[in-house]
Amino acid sequence: MGKFLRKYPISDVIFAFISFSASFVVLSLIVAIAYVLYDESSLAMHRFGVLNFIFSAEWDPVKEVFGAAASLYGTLVTTVLSLMFAIPVSIGIAIFLTEISPHLLKTPIGIAIEMLAAIPSIIYGMWGLFTLAPIMANYIEPFLQKTLGNVPVIGVLFQGTPQGIDLFTASVVLSIMITPFITSVARDALNLTPDIMKESAYALGATRWEVVKDVMIPYAKLGIYGGIVLALGRALGETMAVAFVLGNNHQITLSLFEAAATITVTLANEFTEADSDVYLSSLFYLALILFTLSFIILAVAKFFLLKAERGYSR
Amino acid sequence: MIYNPAHVKKRKIKSYIALSLSTVAAFLGLFWLGFILYDVLRHGIQGLSLELFLEDPAPPGIEGGGLRNAFVGQLLIVFYATIIGVPLGLLAGIFVAEYARGTRFARTISILSDIMVSVPSIVVGTFVYAILVKPVGHINFGGLVAVGFLSAIIAVVFGWFLSFVLSKLFPVKSATTGKFIKLLTALFTTMFGLFIFLILYPKLVDRIQGFNGWAGAVSLAFIMIPVVLRTTEDMLSLVPWTLREAAFALGASYYNVIKDVAIRAAITGILTGIILSIARVAGETAPLLFTSFNNSYFTLDMNEPMASLTVTIFNYAMGPYEDWHTKAWAASLVITVFILFITIVTRTIIGIKYKK
């Protein structure tokens, strides 16, 4: 701390103060968001309680009865499904980029995958609505219905008329969106495996896949977890890509081929239409739930990533 | 284990299958990218014309017209977001990476801003709605802050210019006159900034009337701040500490070291970070939905609801008219090309500059 012991001239004092205040803004921003959302939702909190609001599936602006269960359910299903689609693909891409790809192709393919993250979410939404949804409705969903729809137990998931505007399409769009997040974190983590460890495994006669599976992935485990949880946080809060292809229908349905609503979609569609105080307050309540959820999840992701970083530097 | 050729073969086949699958995954990723980009290009190019940029929208259902209002609105909103977000993020990043280097405060701030980067942008939108749209009739603090930063930036540029001219006109003879001139410049710059603010504020900012452009700019700025903060911090911490020590040894104050050594060494990275953050907020829709809302008329007044490209795309794509869909695709093409171009260029610059 020797550097702090020097006597500061006046320009330093002023500049340090100004820049300190700026960094304090970041801190206060988070507190302010939490406080304002809490304050705005207090009316709904009074009327519906906490647990009651979370577990009630009724969403009726006419009778002014609101519950978050339907939106929460939609959020949960799309998030889990999209992670199920995205995790194998993105870890596959990460393995390809670290182990298989010829050196010349590594950078261009890596950049191309990161481009997927740079495309604005509204473009995903447009594309999902006008291109993917018809394909889903005409080809993929009827096919799934014919094959998997007759299987007992999981057949329930594929009932109904395929419209293309449903939980399934939304999850597919979401999974494409979050793939680059998992990929880039997983690739960086895999890249950090010391060459010596890989070489020792090869020397013992391991195949390439065995090296990946038994040496690299265990080594990069924490980083990959971090990436997955980060993507989970992203998927929770994604709005526009889902808003186009989900249909904003407040219902809890077992079938994936039905329109539904997520917290973000409800907010995007109904916020400007909320005509009564309770309605608006309930929407703020939803926003507060979403903020809390994503804050916790992102903090967990950060915890994993920091732990991974510390582990590697050892 | 005893050597068994069949067993080895099985393992080899397994390895081959697994690795092929991950290659397929990579091509799947590339396929999605190509599919989306091709689709945006294919649909967007049909709607692309000069009228799109130069004309205002025709009434609903009537063909023709353009999206001039949305283009101009988007530029204005992003401009003011940059005016607010970049200085705040930059200063905070400097504090975290320099003055508070290695302290618990710095770690907390950078972890929190990492989280802030990924907080759902629609939540930021609801927050800004509550503070800058709902309190009708109150002072618009968003506009106040934006105009404040604008005049501060103008004043700083003016101050640089002034001190440059003064140093050319009166070459400094002694330390006392040098200090005197510096003090005078600082005083004059502050006065000038206040003067600009007092002129601009009443002209640009009105009391809150409901949805307004300032709110949109502020919510984009909130998304921008943590991004700029993190890249500034990262880029500054890449500058070797010995470089600063050399400057300290010459008797420079920390302020001068930051200004003339650290930032100068990291400027490429910081600038690219800023440009990337602009590209990122340019594609945001969710925080604008209930802050700047939408406006089918052309306006330059930030106190009114203001059209932006992204919200217009949302409304047009959800609308019933074929012509609207074409326009939405065209606007999507413009925004995608803009963002991808910026992203690729800045990534290449960073790649060249910070090659290990």
Side-chain angles (χ1 to χ4, degrees):
Chain A
M1 287 288 115
K3 59 189 183 243
F4 285 108
L5 295 179
R6 297 172 334 104
K7 213 171 168 203
Y8 287 126
I10 184 80
S11 58
D12 253 344
V13 175
I14 296 175
F15 191 63
F17 176 73
I18 293 176
S19 58
F20 167 73
S21 337
S23 64
F24 198 72
V25 167
V26 178
L27 196 67
S28 40
L29 203 57
I30 289 188
V31 179
I33 290 178
Y35 174 74
V36 167
L37 291 184
Y38 175 78
D39 191 46
E40 294 287 336
S41 58
S42 59
L43 182 64
M45 235 178 252
H46 263 293
R47 175 115 22 132
F48 307 114
V50 178
L51 287 180
N52 202 9
F53 184 73
I54 291 176
F55 288 109
S56 155
E58 200 168 351
W59 186 269
D60 192 340
V62 181
K63 279 192 279 176
E64 297 195 344
V65 183
F66 301 100
S71 301
L72 270 172
Y73 177 77
T75 303
L76 195 76
V77 172
T78 48
T79 309
V80 169
L81 262 188
S82 62
L83 279 178
M84 268 168 54
F85 297 143
I87 290 173
V89 173
S90 35
I91 292 182
I93 299 175
I95 293 172
F96 177 82
L97 285 176
T98 46
E99 280 300 288
I100 306 165
S101 162
H103 194 70
L104 209 63
L105 284 180
K106 261 181 199 173
T107 325
I109 294 183
I111 288 183
I113 299 296
E114 272 170 30
M115 284 292 104
L116 275 177
I119 295 176
S121 56
I122 187 140
I123 308 295
Y124 279 97
M126 282 276 285
W127 175 79
L129 177 66
F130 288 117
T131 306
L132 190 65
I135 295 177
M136 283 287 179
N138 294 331
Y139 304 104
I140 296 175
E141 286 178 359
F143 170 76
L144 283 176
Q145 226 164 21
K146 251 182 244 156
T147 48
L148 293 173
N150 301 325
V151 180
V153 185
I154 62 163
V156 187
L157 298 176
F158 304 102
Q159 298 308 313
T161 341
Q163 300 268 333
I165 308 288
D166 51 30
L167 284 165
F168 189 70
T169 311
S171 310
V172 172
V173 175
L174 257 187
S175 80
I176 301 173
M177 283 199 72
I178 60 176
T179 299
F181 291 104
I182 310 181
T183 303
S184 68
V185 177
R187 181 191 58 185
D188 292 347
L190 288 174
N191 259 336
L192 286 172
T193 322
D195 282 339
I196 270 197
M197 283 172 77
K198 288 196 267 178
E199 282 157 10
S200 344
Y202 280 126
L204 289 173
T207 59
R208 227 185 203 186
W209 167 241
E210 283 163 352
V211 171
V212 170
K213 180 173 64 114
D214 298 329
V215 178
M216 296 175 73
I217 290 184
Y219 192 85
K221 200 171 52 187
L222 282 174
I224 294 176
Y225 288 162
I228 290 173
V229 183
L230 189 71
L232 174 69
R234 285 273 164 167
L236 270 187
E238 184 43 54
T239 311
M240 299 324 291
V242 192
F244 279 98
V245 287
L246 200 54
N248 195 31
N249 189 356
H250 289 270
Q251 59 168 350
I252 294 182
T253 148
L254 267 182
S255 169
L256 300 178
F257 295 165
E258 295 272 357
T262 66
I263 295 181
T264 51
V265 171
T266 310
L267 287 174
N269 279 316
E270 299 180 22
F271 207 87
T272 49
E273 290 165 8
D275 39 12
S276 68
D277 286 348
V278 189
Y279 195 2
L280 193 62
S281 179
S282 305
L283 288 169
F284 272 114
Y285 202 173
L286 280 183
L288 179 67
I289 292 174
L290 181 65
F291 179 67
T292 318
L293 267 182
S294 58
F295 193 87
I296 293 170
I297 286 169
L298 293 168
V300 170
K302 197 64 205 157
F303 169 77
F304 273 126
L305 290 174
L306 281 179
K307 215 173 151 195
E309 229 167 74
R310 223 164 282 150
Y312 299 137
S313 59
R314 222 188 310 140
Chain B
M1 195 165 59
I2 302 156
Y3 179 71
N4 177 352
H7 182 60
V8 169
K9 199 165 186 192
K10 218 170 106 191
R11 282 168 53 206
K12 271 190 176 160
I13 290 173
K14 211 169 150 192
S15 167
Y16 187 74
I17 291 174
L19 294 182
S20 315
L21 279 180
S22 61
T23 312
V24 169
F27 280 102
L28 189 65
L30 292 181
F31 166 75
W32 288 128
L33 179 73
F35 193 4
I36 294 171
L37 290 185
Y38 168 74
D39 225 47
V40 170
L41 191 68
R42 185 170 61 110
H43 289 290
I45 219 141
Q46 293 170 357
L48 221 51
S49 62
L50 212 56
E51 288 90 65
L52 190 76
F53 299 97
L54 297 179
E55 278 179 29
D56 285 333
I62 297 172
E63 301 238 338
L67 296 173
R68 182 175 70 132
N69 60 339
F71 280 103
V72 172
Q74 179 91 28
L75 283 180
L76 270 178
I77 291 172
V78 171
F79 171 74
Y80 280 110
T82 314
I83 291 275
I84 304 171
V86 168
L88 271 178
L90 202 62
L91 285 170
I94 290 171
F95 185 78
V96 168
E98 299 289 341
Y99 288 110
R101 176 177 282 238
T103 59
R104 179 164 297 203
F105 179 77
R107 253 201 323 275
T108 318
I109 294 283
S110 77
I111 288 177
L112 280 181
S113 45
D114 259 356
I115 293 177
M116 272 287 286
V117 168
S118 303
V119 155
S121 51
I122 197 159
V123 170
V124 177
T126 56
F127 168 65
V128 173
Y129 175 88
I131 59 170
L132 289 179
V133 178
K134 212 177 158 208
V136 173
H138 285 247
I139 294 170
N140 194 333
F141 286 106
L144 187 78
V145 172
V147 175
F149 273 102
L150 183 65
S151 15
I153 290 171
I154 293 175
V156 166
V157 172
F158 172 78
W160 275 337
F161 183 70
L162 192 69
S163 63
F164 176 75
V165 170
L166 282 181
S167 70
K168 281 280 179 283
L169 282 182
F170 313 102
V172 180
K173 296 272 164 50
S174 69
T176 359
T177 44
K179 243 179 199 160
F180 181 69
I181 287 179
K182 239 183 189 171
L183 200 71
L184 215 64
T185 323
L187 203 71
F188 204 72
T189 308
T190 322
M191 297 283 283
F192 183 75
L194 271 176
F195 178 67
I196 293 274
F197 178 77
L198 289 178
I199 289 182
L200 284 183
Y201 182 71
K203 274 195 181 157
L204 291 179
V205 187
D206 200 359
R207 281 172 187 268
I208 298 173
Q209 311 283 345
F211 298 112
N212 59 82
W214 296 116
V218 167
S219 47
L220 290 190
F222 284 165
I223 292 168
M224 219 165 176
I225 291 170
V227 183
V228 177
L229 191 159
R230 289 292 294 138
T231 41
T232 308
E233 189 199 344
D234 285 347
M235 293 304 156
L236 281 176
S237 49
L238 283 179
V239 177
W241 183 251
T242 43
L243 213 60
R244 297 187 183 87
E245 265 171 6
F248 285 138
L250 294 173
S253 69
Y254 205 163
Y255 168 67
N256 278 331
V257 172
I258 293 171
K259 185 168 69 101
D260 296 331
V261 179
I263 290 192
R264 199 156 287 188
I267 190 72
T268 326
I270 294 177
L271 280 182
T272 42
I274 289 174
I275 295 169
L276 275 181
S277 75
I278 294 175
R280 154 124 202 245
V281 297
E284 284 286 357
T285 317
L288 296 180
L289 280 176
F290 16 88
T291 51
S292 59
F293 199 53
N294 202 352
N295 193 342
S296 39
Y297 300 101
F298 177 81
T299 175
L300 289 172
D301 185 0
M302 294 285 282
N303 298 299
E304 286 177 26
M306 191 166 252
S308 57
L309 267 187
T310 45
V311 176
T312 309
I313 293 174
F314 183 55
N315 287 340
Y316 273 26
M318 291 302 221
Y321 310 109
E322 196 56 40
D323 186 45
W324 276 17
H325 296 172
T326 320
K327 289 216 170 60
W329 278 113
S332 304
L333 178 64
V334 173
I335 223 165
T336 312
V337 167
F338 169 75
I339 288 175
L340 289 193
F341 176 74
I342 284 188
T343 315
I344 291 176
V345 168
T346 45
R347 287 222 174 218
T348 325
I349 292 174
I350 287 189
I352 293 169
K353 181 96 203 230
Y354 293 96
K355 214 165 200 175
K356 277 176 215 151

